[in-house]
Amino acid sequence: MATVQVSEAEKVYILHGIRDDLRVDGRGCEDYRHMETETDVVSNTDGSAKVTLGHTAVLVGIKAEIRKPRPMLPDEGYLEFFVDCSANATPEFEGRGGEELGTELSNTLYKVFNNKHSVDLKSLCISAGEHCWVLYVDVLLLQCDGNLYDAISIAIKAALFNTKIPRVHISTDDEGGKEIELSDDPFDCMRLNVENVPCIVTLCKVGHRHVVDATLQEKACSVASLIISVTHKGTVTCLRKVGGGSLDPESIFEMTEAGKRVGKALHTPLMNLLKQEESLGKTRQKVGFLG
Amino acid sequence: MLKSKTFVKKTRSGGVLKIVREHYLRDDIWCGSEVCTECKQESTVLQRDTCIESNLCAYPHYLIPDTNVVLHQIDVLEDPVIRNVIILQTVLQEVRHRSAPVYKRIKDIIHEKEKHFYTFTNEHHRETFIEREPGESANDRNDRAIRVAATWYTQHLKTSESAADGLKVVLLTNDQGNKQKAAESGLLVFKCEEYIKSLIANPELVDRLALTNDEKNEITSSKVLFPEHLPLSRIQAGIKSGSFLQGTFRASRDNYLEATVFVPGEGEDSTEVLLQGLQNLNRAVHQDVVAVQLLPRDHWVAPSSVVLQDEGMAKDENPEEEEEEKAVTAKKPTGKVVGIIKRNWRPFCGMLNVSQIKESTRHLFTPADRRIPRIRIETRQASTLAGQRIMVAIDGWPKDSRYPNGHFVRSLGGAGEKDTEEEVLLLEHDVPHQAFSQAVLSFLPKMPWAITPEDMKQRQDLRQLTVCSVDPPGCTDIDDALHCRELDNGNLEVGVHIADVSHFIRPGNALDKEAANRGTTVYLCGKRIDMVPELLSSNLCSLRSNVERLAFSCIWEMNHEAEILKTWFTKSIINSKVKHNKNHDLFAYLLYLSQMRIDDTTMNDDITKSLRGLNKLAKILKRRRIENGALTLSSLEVRFHIDSETHDPIDLQTKELMETNSMVEEFMLLANISVAQKIYDEFSECALLRKHPAPPPSNYDILIKAAKSKNVAIHTDSAKALADSLDMATVDSFPYFNTLLRILATRCMMQAVYFCSGMDSDFHHYGLASPIYTHFTSPIRRYSDIIVHRLLAVAIGADSTYPDLMDKHKQSALCNNLNYRHKMAQYAQRASVAFHTQLFFKTRGVLNEEGFVLFVRKNAIIVLIPKFGMEGTVFFDSKDKTAPNLVFDEEGPTLTVEQHTFHIFDKVKVTISLDASNIQHQKIRMALIDPVISGVSVPAEDLEPQSKKSKLDR
């Protein structure tokens, strides 16, 4: 991932600041940077969202396609993730530079989102064992300025909220042959319930304390971080440690508690924002990528 | 301003796709009106002075028709009276989507300057574009778009100075809901009928109005005659599950209560489903694409061999009467029409049956094509239209109506007049016969044309060769020429030179497209409808004598046994020395040659040597071909002697088959085979070839039965066996027997067709007994040959290829069109001969002639008159007389009338006259004179006064 060089003096400055709950940019330890979301930014997807967090920018697009359900789960649809680390985000991604990170991110996302507790997968089923909707979630990193996981998870939640799946119904003819029929009204579509979709909170252990939404500089000072996905009720659905250093159980417990707290607080304003945006309908002025 | 249009679509594989299109809105779309000062338009379409006398709208106005008005009332819109119409883009797009022919017609109207039709691109106008709203159907959205545009026009014209003129826009719609909504938003709106009827000055327009469905007229008896058609969604589901079959509806020519549906399948799986009875035909019209449901096996019937013509309501019950007789012959899969997938209605030619009631405005229309049902139309000009050939379009066929409803389109002229009838038969056979458009003509070479030095460089110069063309007299499109010379090594060099049409017609341009559409030149009696403009067909591509012409040559080196040693192809320049008439000069010349054999040295000029060599080789080639099993079939061709002033036929003769024709033909066949081999070797996937499939054995049944009745055995195992047994089949006392047999054999054959080598595996040409064949030798009059020329040119590196030439699917589609056009051209030709035969009998009155029974039907015999090469039907039952005792035996087949039994090939004597009682279907009536059967045969007419009279007439 994108790294910055931090000198010893800078490191000490950052560490001391965090110890005193005052970070370089003036935030407290559990504060996020300025965050912006916009949905419905890519017209040829079924749902899309763009999130900027500080200077980190990600774009998520969701395409729904009809496929055969997985044999083990015949009455559920599923999600597929692909993370594209474009060289726009940072020159390190040039060539195949972003591949490893992309795989790591998509594997994590798969674990966090593709389960029936996060998304109502049953509602994606069209006819058991034969047809279901598969949501292809494509994540594009536009700019990297630390804390990719949190930004991506918020963007995915927003994009899922925005997703409109065309409504289909199955007609059966005399001999039991099934036929998928599509409604000819483009407004006739199905929405997903995103209430239970978790958000990821990354906590970075810096010195003896931990911070939320670490910048690249802070990241450089941290030995390890913990990825926690939290639902709106505060339930932790996934926990993962990344980074080279080790964490003692005491701090893991502390960080989880902090993560739950922060995550829970994140959902309500996000949902409010999304609903508000939705209610504007066509009158909303789109910002897009140039705004 | 940019908007995007979004819609979801289902893909073939069952997936669902979201498609987004960008949509740009503009500020610079002008209204097109002359009065407008606001719009910065350069030229205007809509006039300031737009008065049309209407008692509904006394003010000047522009019309805005909605989609359904354009779709259904296109005939009205085409009328020169209707001018100053605004066609919205929404309407145009919907029309294009729903009916290609109507779309083409409306486009034509728009291009016509005098009509002042203006297309307003409302979908791209910033103020008139609307987006579909939740809960709104696509149709509602379009209706709203039309209303918005109409409102915009109203406002727009009001603000400009035209307000003084009182110029308004009038919306025409037949949709009640739309009309109401438009009225609510303050628009001037009328139903199309209301408006047209209000045009006091032009009452004739009312006739051209299409009857609309909501106007359920009192003419129909309230009882429902037909079962309801299923909706398209159920039909599609049914076809997919296999419970319905989809196919093309083909009405029977002879029996109006019978039809077949051809269901295409893969390879050999194509089936034909028989339909019988009005209920089962269920309002399908010839050529519609329909869905049929098979009846249970015990309801299957055999096609009836009765000739039945729709004479009115009274005979509706006929199919039931015949049910009992069906058991004898093989039953065919029988079904009923459950729904119509696509109507293929076109305007039909025919005549009006004027209603018995004097003041009635409703009349029945009888189409010229017997396969089309009668059509009920409404007109006030019945008295003028009676006796004229008119065109009528079908509007619909409600389920409680015995006949479809339609409306008058235009009049073609008086029935029986030569020009009218020719027009009718060209229209009925879908022969494109309009003059070539300017766009097409613009691709012709500029005159005076000369061979350029570049051409010289690329082509082989064969001008020094003694090339001669051999074509029928009066022929102006000469596309082939031959040469033959002895080489130094003692072998013969033979060349076939074909006009290089592909040099002038370059792929993809308008000229090429027109030729591809026409497919073939159509020859009628005394008229030719060219495939390519005359400049090419009769001048630049005609290998006339003593001018330099571009040619495509196929040259062989042969030994004296006519074995090919070497073949090569080249583009060349030739200079034909002599033109010989196939029938006169050359014939005489060859006779002369044969006499000269004794004294061989007297004439030794180049032409004589050339012809002598050719003739010798041709004989060997022909013998070899026949040994291989090529068939010599026979059909009678008729030639008319046309009066040079009146252009009426004054004599009728069957064409004699001259042996000399075959010399040229032999080399043409050889060239075609050589070229076919070459292009197939080079392009195994996309060579355009011609095949003639072997007929299924059952086709020969009638031939074998017929021959058996004369104790002659016909073997049909192979072409060779057939050819041999036909040669052997002679009856001493009956010299004409062999010809008759060959005529019958011809009827058993399949149609030869063009196909693309990549799409088929069976290349065999049955009739010519050749494993591969194509058409190379007449590019002036056949488009297939042009394609073959192009392929060959690419093969020898003389020309470059282009994508469509190498696309086997496009080739295949082209082949389908060519096959269709060829078939139609043949039919048109036959119809033309039939018409001229009628003209001939009109002047000649009644004739007594000898003929032979060609077929035996249940209630009739079909008689061939060798003298005139014509056939006619002698009916034994008629409506007004009680039918004689008829016994039909399928096995013979024989028909016993009272005491006399008719066999195939029986010699009969008939009296021939023109039956003009039905002007539309004037037909040759034949009645039996000999054998004499009481109550059936008629006494021989006294001919003398008749012929004298006709002499006086002239």
Side-chain angles (χ1 to χ4, degrees):
Chain A
M1 206 204 279
T3 47
V4 285
Q5 297 292 324
V6 188
S7 69
E8 252 343 279
E10 274 179 293
K11 246 184 199 172
V12 172
Y13 180 70
I14 291 168
L15 275 167
H16 286 194
I18 288 170
R19 191 185 58 199
D20 300 337
D21 198 10
L22 181 63
R23 294 158 73 178
V24 178
D25 46 13
R27 287 182 287 160
C29 280
E30 292 183 8
D31 290 343
Y32 272 94
R33 284 170 286 176
H34 177 72
M35 195 192 300
E36 279 177 14
T37 30
E38 188 183 6
T39 55
D40 203 11
V41 283
V42 186
S43 56
N44 50 2
T45 57
D46 293 301
S48 60
K50 190 188 151 210
V51 167
T52 55
L53 181 61
H55 288 292
T56 298
V58 295
L59 174 68
V60 170
I62 294 177
K63 290 279 265 181
E65 281 181 29
I66 295 178
R67 289 278 181 280
K68 223 175 159 63
R70 303 213 152 134
M72 300 294 285
L73 302 161
D75 58 345
E76 288 183 8
Y78 56 96
L79 283 76
E80 292 273 14
F81 293 88
F82 179 77
V83 182
D84 182 9
C85 305
S86 82
N88 279 355
T90 156
E92 285 164 51
F93 291 157
E94 221 171 287
R96 309 181 68 174
E99 216 167 72
E100 202 181 325
L101 176 70
T103 321
E104 186 194 322
L105 284 168
S106 48
N107 286 343
T108 311
L109 295 175
Y110 189 77
K111 282 216 176 71
V112 171
F113 292 103
N114 189 35
N115 54 63
K116 56 181 178 238
H117 306 291
S118 302
V119 182
D120 183 11
L121 295 178
K122 289 228 161 84
S123 71
L124 293 178
C125 178
I126 299 166
S127 65
E130 284 181 36
H131 302 291
C132 71
W133 286 106
V134 177
L135 301 181
Y136 288 92
V137 181
D138 292 310
V139 181
L140 179 65
L141 302 186
L142 299 171
Q143 208 170 349
C144 283
D145 187 27
N147 204 14
L148 286 177
Y149 280 106
D150 296 21
I152 292 172
S153 72
I154 291 166
I156 290 178
K157 177 150 179 165
L160 284 172
F161 176 82
N162 179 237
T163 299
K164 298 177 185 81
I165 302 171
R167 207 177 285 281
V168 293
H169 56 97
I170 301 279
S171 63
T172 329
D173 56 28
D174 316 338
E175 286 163 26
K178 279 176 186 164
E179 175 84 10
I180 292 174
E181 275 174 25
L182 197 62
S183 147
D184 66 342
D185 181 4
F187 295 97
D188 183 16
C189 50
M190 176 175 87
R191 304 295 291 264
L192 288 169
N193 180 9
V194 293
E195 207 182 15
N196 290 326
V197 175
C199 283
I200 297 175
V201 179
T202 313
L203 290 130
C204 271
K205 178 94 176 162
V206 182
H208 293 287
R209 292 194 65 162
H210 44 258
V211 293
V212 165
D213 187 20
T215 60
L216 285 177
Q217 282 84 0
E218 287 165 339
K219 184 88 188 259
C221 303
S222 113
V223 283
S225 39
L226 205 58
I227 293 167
I228 305 166
S229 71
V230 190
T231 68
H232 69 117
K233 288 178 194 140
T235 320
V236 175
T237 58
C238 180
L239 194 73
R240 205 176 156 218
K241 199 213 82 168
V242 288
S246 53
L247 297 171
D248 58 286
E250 186 69 13
S251 54
I252 290 179
F253 178 74
E254 258 177 50
M255 284 160 89
T256 317
E257 283 306 305
K260 274 199 287 196
R261 198 164 53 242
V262 174
K264 223 169 136 180
L266 197 57
H267 280 284
T268 335
L270 177 64
M271 285 309 286
N272 286 342
L273 210 63
L274 291 174
K275 278 177 188 153
Q276 199 188 333
E277 192 185 28
E278 169 94 2
S279 68
L280 290 175
K282 274 187 188 152
T283 60
R284 172 168 72 103
Q285 280 288 306
K286 286 193 181 176
V287 181
F289 300 95
L290 302 172
Chain B
M1 197 161 90
L2 174 67
K3 290 253 178 196
S4 63
K5 268 192 192 169
T6 308
F7 53 97
V8 259
K9 195 178 103 178
K10 207 174 101 178
T11 60
R12 237 164 219 277
S13 55
V16 172
L17 269 187
K18 179 175 170 182
I19 293 165
V20 180
R21 297 243 185 282
E22 287 185 343
H23 191 88
Y24 294 87
L25 299 184
R26 329 179 38 137
D27 293 321
D28 57 349
I29 293 170
W30 314 129
C31 67
S33 168
E34 217 169 54
V35 297
C36 181
T37 49
E38 241 173 82
C39 294
K40 299 179 195 66
Q41 46 215 353
E42 276 163 10
S43 60
T44 53
V45 177
L46 302 164
Q47 293 166 295
R48 178 186 294 269
D49 179 28
T50 73
C51 270
I52 178 165
E53 261 186 78
S54 160
N55 55 10
L56 268 179
C57 326
Y59 35 81
H61 56 272
Y62 299 144
L63 291 176
I64 302 184
D66 79 350
T67 314
N68 281 323
V69 171
V70 174
L71 274 176
H72 298 132
Q73 312 292 359
I74 184 77
D75 291 329
V76 174
L77 292 177
E78 270 176 350
D79 195 283
V81 172
I82 306 289
R83 278 180 296 167
N84 291 301
V85 175
I86 299 161
I87 302 290
L88 301 176
Q89 191 193 7
T90 318
V91 173
L92 209 54
Q93 280 170 346
E94 259 194 295
V95 167
R96 181 162 92 172
H97 185 64
R98 296 203 3 218
S99 165
V102 175
Y103 179 70
K104 192 177 173 296
R105 288 167 75 183
I106 190 86
K107 285 295 269 189
D108 287 346
I109 303 178
I110 291 168
H111 287 307
E112 218 173 290
K113 282 219 159 52
E114 295 77 52
K115 292 284 285 171
H116 298 286
F117 271 51
Y118 180 66
T119 330
F120 182 63
T121 37
N122 64 318
E123 296 284 355
H124 290 278
H125 192 287
R126 200 157 65 92
E127 285 165 55
T128 53
F129 173 74
I130 54 159
E131 274 182 273
R132 189 165 162 185
E133 275 166 11
E136 193 174 43
S137 78
N139 276 336
D140 289 346
R141 188 249 155 220
N142 287 341
D143 284 346
R144 189 158 62 90
I146 293 167
R147 290 198 301 272
V148 167
T151 317
W152 181 84
Y153 256 104
T154 314
Q155 301 287 339
H156 183 78
L157 292 179
K158 216 180 263 171
T159 49
S160 57
E161 56 159 300
S162 59
D165 300 348
L167 195 59
K168 288 177 178 157
V169 285
V170 170
L171 181 65
L172 293 185
T173 178
N174 286 337
D175 178 353
Q176 205 61 49
N178 193 13
K179 190 183 167 192
Q180 198 179 343
K181 276 189 194 143
E184 276 165 17
S185 52
L187 286 170
L188 286 165
V189 56
F190 296 112
K191 276 188 154 187
C192 193
E193 284 86 333
E194 275 177 345
Y195 179 78
I196 296 298
K197 280 175 188 158
S198 79
L199 302 176
I200 333 149
N202 302 85
E204 76 282 356
L205 265 184
V206 178
D207 285 354
R208 303 180 67 167
L209 272 176
L211 297 173
T212 43
N213 280 344
D214 52 40
E215 231 188 314
K216 283 246 165 67
N217 286 313
E218 67 280 10
I219 29 167
T220 50
S221 51
S222 54
K223 108 179 166 195
V224 174
L225 284 167
F226 297 103
E228 188 89 66
H229 286 151
L230 294 180
L232 205 56
S233 56
R234 278 195 56 197
I235 292 176
Q236 275 164 348
I239 289 171
K240 214 160 188 186
S241 71
S243 54
F244 300 152
L245 297 169
Q246 175 177 344
T248 317
F249 184 88
R250 294 177 182 166
S252 158
R253 238 175 242 278
D254 295 332
N255 186 339
Y256 77 104
L257 290 169
E258 201 172 276
T260 53
V261 171
F262 178 77
V263 182
E266 276 162 36
E268 305 283 293
D269 293 350
S270 306
T271 44
E272 263 194 349
V273 179
L274 182 72
L275 307 170
Q276 255 186 6
L278 276 183
Q279 292 274 323
N280 290 343
L281 298 181
N282 199 1
R283 290 171 283 160
V285 178
H286 184 65
Q287 286 296 335
D288 286 350
V289 180
V290 297
V292 287
Q293 184 177 26
L294 286 181
L295 297 176
R297 217 163 250 276
D298 49 318
H299 283 77
W300 287 13
V301 293
S304 75
S305 43
V306 173
V307 179
L308 212 58
Q309 279 169 31
D310 185 5
E311 304 285 358
M313 303 271 195
K315 286 177 92 177
D316 280 3
E317 313 307 321
N318 267 344
E320 280 75 29
E321 292 170 22
E322 281 145 36
E323 299 267 308
E324 301 91 55
E325 305 171 46
K326 73 200 171 187
V328 199
T329 41
K331 290 179 179 182
K332 287 180 73 178
T334 308
K336 62 175 181 187
V337 173
V338 290
I340 308 280
I341 293 161
K342 188 171 177 289
R343 289 287 195 192
N344 255 333
W345 291 340
R346 57 186 173 91
F348 300 104
C349 299
M351 288 184 71
L352 205 63
N353 294 18
V354 179
S355 169
Q356 308 289 329
I357 311 153
K358 240 190 188 163
E359 282 81 37
S360 170
T361 56
R362 298 179 204 288
H363 306 274
L364 272 181
F365 161 83
T366 312
D369 189 340
R370 283 211 205 98
R371 293 168 297 188
I372 308 295
R374 294 178 183 197
I375 302 164
R376 184 179 279 124
I377 67 167
E378 203 171 324
T379 176
R380 272 178 232 156
Q381 341 168 36
S383 48
T384 39
L385 292 183
Q388 285 192 17
R389 290 275 191 175
I390 58 171
M391 279 181 97
V392 161
I394 305 187
D395 299 321
W397 197 340
K399 62 173 183 269
D400 50 4
S401 164
R402 170 73 172 76
Y403 296 110
N405 294 329
H407 65 271
F408 167 68
V409 179
R410 68 186 173 105
S411 168
L412 300 170
E417 283 167 29
K418 221 167 125 196
D419 290 341
T420 315
E421 296 300 326
E422 226 149 48
E423 175 90 8
V424 168
L425 73 93
L426 288 174
L427 283 169
E428 277 303 299
H429 293 95
D430 197 14
V431 176
H433 60 284
Q434 310 81 355
F436 288 98
S437 71
Q438 277 309 316
V440 170
L441 295 175
S442 71
F443 287 96
L444 290 176
K446 299 281 167 295
M447 291 303 283
W449 174 86
I451 295 170
T452 63
E454 286 100 85
D455 289 331
M456 286 288 200
K457 238 180 274 169
Q458 284 157 2
R459 290 165 182 272
Q460 203 174 339
D461 190 351
L462 300 179
R463 279 175 294 180
Q464 77 291 350
L465 288 180
T466 314
V467 174
C468 46
S469 45
V470 187
D471 260 295
C475 176
T476 55
D477 49 347
I478 307 158
D479 41 20
D480 43 46
L482 290 162
H483 88 270
C484 174
R485 64 169 176 179
E486 195 150 343
L487 294 174
D488 297 339
N489 61 7
N491 286 334
L492 290 170
E493 183 191 78
V494 178
V496 166
H497 310 276
I498 307 297
D500 191 6
V501 181
S502 65
H503 175 84
F504 297 101
I505 302 182
R506 302 308 299 165
N509 66 28
L511 177 57
D512 179 51
K513 281 182 185 148
E514 180 69 24
N517 180 38
R518 293 191 178 210
T520 173
T521 293
V522 181
Y523 295 89
L524 303 181
C525 300
K527 193 173 179 175
R528 184 178 83 198
I529 291 113
D530 279 323
M531 179 181 82
V532 295
E534 200 177 353
L535 177 65
L536 288 182
S537 68
S538 304
N539 186 357
L540 297 185
C541 291
S542 186
L543 304 176
R544 299 193 289 191
S545 54
N546 299 324
V547 282
E548 289 173 6
R549 288 287 175 248
L550 301 181
F552 209 148
S553 305
C554 170
I555 303 172
W556 302 278
E557 189 179 328
M558 289 182 179
N559 61 17
H560 287 272
E561 277 71 54
E563 278 157 0
I564 299 172
L565 304 172
K566 204 169 130 203
T567 309
W568 70 98
F569 308 96
T570 179
K571 291 226 173 183
S572 60
I573 301 174
I574 60 160
N575 192 341
S576 175
K577 293 290 185 290
V578 190
K579 188 195 157 189
H580 272 288
N581 284 337
K582 248 186 207 164
N583 290 336
H584 299 301
D585 299 2
L586 189 69
F587 188 62
Y589 197 76
L590 287 172
L591 262 175
Y592 178 59
L593 273 183
S594 59
Q595 289 164 356
M596 268 198 339
R597 236 172 241 153
I598 326 150
D599 185 11
D600 216 1
T601 46
T602 46
M603 277 191 78
N604 250 338
D605 62 298
D606 284 348
I607 300 171
T608 318
K609 274 202 280 187
S610 182
L611 283 175
R612 199 181 294 150
L614 286 172
N615 198 33
K616 191 181 80 181
L617 291 174
K619 282 195 173 133
I620 304 173
L621 285 170
K622 181 164 191 187
R623 199 186 59 230
R624 194 177 301 152
R625 207 161 52 84
I626 287 176
E627 276 166 14
N628 281 337
L631 294 172
T632 327
L633 298 172
S634 177
S635 59
L636 293 177
E637 272 188 81
V638 191
R639 243 217 346 265
F640 293 97
H641 291 270
I642 306 274
D643 187 315
S644 56
E645 278 164 38
T646 59
H647 297 289
D648 284 336
I650 45 180
D651 200 4
L652 186 69
Q653 267 183 353
T654 48
K655 250 189 218 169
E656 289 162 61
L657 286 168
M658 291 194 200
E659 203 180 308
T660 50
N661 286 357
S662 75
M663 182 192 97
V664 177
E665 199 186 308
E666 217 53 57
F667 286 103
M668 294 304 141
L669 291 178
L670 196 62
N672 284 339
I673 293 169
S674 293
V675 170
Q677 194 58 50
K678 174 77 180 170
I679 59 172
Y680 177 64
D681 288 346
E682 204 75 23
F683 306 105
S684 59
E685 281 294 292
C686 56
L688 191 147
L689 302 176
R690 189 167 172 84
K691 69 170 175 182
H692 182 214
S698 61
N699 274 22
Y700 288 122
D701 286 355
I702 186 80
L703 178 67
I704 295 171
K705 271 183 197 169
K708 216 165 138 195
S709 68
K710 293 279 178 220
N711 291 323
V712 173
I714 296 287
H715 302 283
T716 58
D717 318 331
S718 68
K720 173 101 180 100
L722 179 65
D724 288 346
S725 48
L726 279 177
D727 286 341
M728 307 280 288
T730 45
V731 174
D732 288 339
S733 58
F734 191 3
Y736 204 65
F737 174 68
N738 192 275
T739 312
L740 280 176
L741 213 52
R742 284 181 197 272
I743 291 172
L744 266 186
T746 312
R747 307 274 164 99
C748 303
M749 292 296 148
M750 307 281 282
Q751 193 87 32
V753 288
Y754 296 110
F755 68 103
C756 172
S757 61
M759 306 291 276
D760 210 327
S761 53
D762 173 29
F763 295 178
H764 193 73
H765 198 291
Y766 182 77
L768 295 173
S770 168
I772 193 163
Y773 191 69
T774 191
H775 270 163
F776 169 73
T777 51
S778 297
I780 303 179
R781 56 186 179 86
R782 289 189 304 235
Y783 189 74
S784 51
D785 301 48
I786 295 183
I787 292 291
V788 170
H789 273 226
R790 286 179 186 159
L791 286 166
L792 187 65
V794 175
I796 62 166
D799 206 343
S800 53
T801 174
Y802 59 100
D804 283 6
L805 192 65
M806 295 294 137
D807 183 331
K808 63 176 179 178
H809 297 283
K810 290 219 170 105
Q811 281 268 20
S812 195
L814 177 69
C815 288
N816 287 343
N817 181 46
L818 294 183
N819 289 332
Y820 170 72
R821 293 290 185 202
H822 274 273
K823 196 172 71 186
M824 282 318 190
Q826 270 180 16
Y827 290 163
Q829 213 167 330
R830 274 184 225 162
S832 174
V833 168
F835 173 65
H836 280 81
T837 314
Q838 287 163 16
L839 280 185
F840 171 69
F841 279 100
K842 202 169 173 180
T843 52
R844 295 297 294 271
V846 184
L847 286 177
N848 295 334
E849 279 305 331
E850 275 184 2
F852 299 100
V853 177
L854 203 56
F855 292 107
V856 176
R857 290 280 146 85
K858 244 185 211 177
N859 58 349
I861 53 171
I862 291 165
V863 179
L864 177 86
I865 312 293
K867 186 173 170 192
F868 300 126
M870 57 176 272
E871 292 169 31
T873 313
V874 177
F875 286 96
F876 293 116
D877 56 353
S878 52
K879 285 165 292 165
D880 40 351
K881 274 193 288 191
T882 49
N885 185 20
L886 296 174
V887 181
F888 180 65
D889 180 13
E890 199 83 36
E891 283 310 302
T894 59
L895 181 70
T896 309
V897 182
E898 300 291 343
Q899 273 76 48
H900 189 87
T901 306
F902 288 98
H903 296 93
I904 290 188
F905 301 138
D906 277 359
K907 201 177 206 177
V908 291
K909 211 166 191 186
V910 290
T911 153
I912 310 165
S913 61
L914 182 72
D915 178 7
S917 59
N918 180 348
I919 311 172
Q920 157 128 294
H921 291 290
Q922 290 193 0
K923 55 190 170 196
I924 303 295
R925 176 184 292 253
M926 288 194 185
L928 202 62
I929 305 175
D930 179 61
V932 178
I933 303 168
S934 64
V936 175
S937 60
V938 294
E941 294 266 351
D942 186 14
L943 293 176
E944 275 319 298
Q946 288 283 354
S947 53
K948 247 183 214 160
K949 200 171 148 213
S950 65
K951 266 178 206 155
L952 285 174
D953 280 350
R954 272 198 260 133

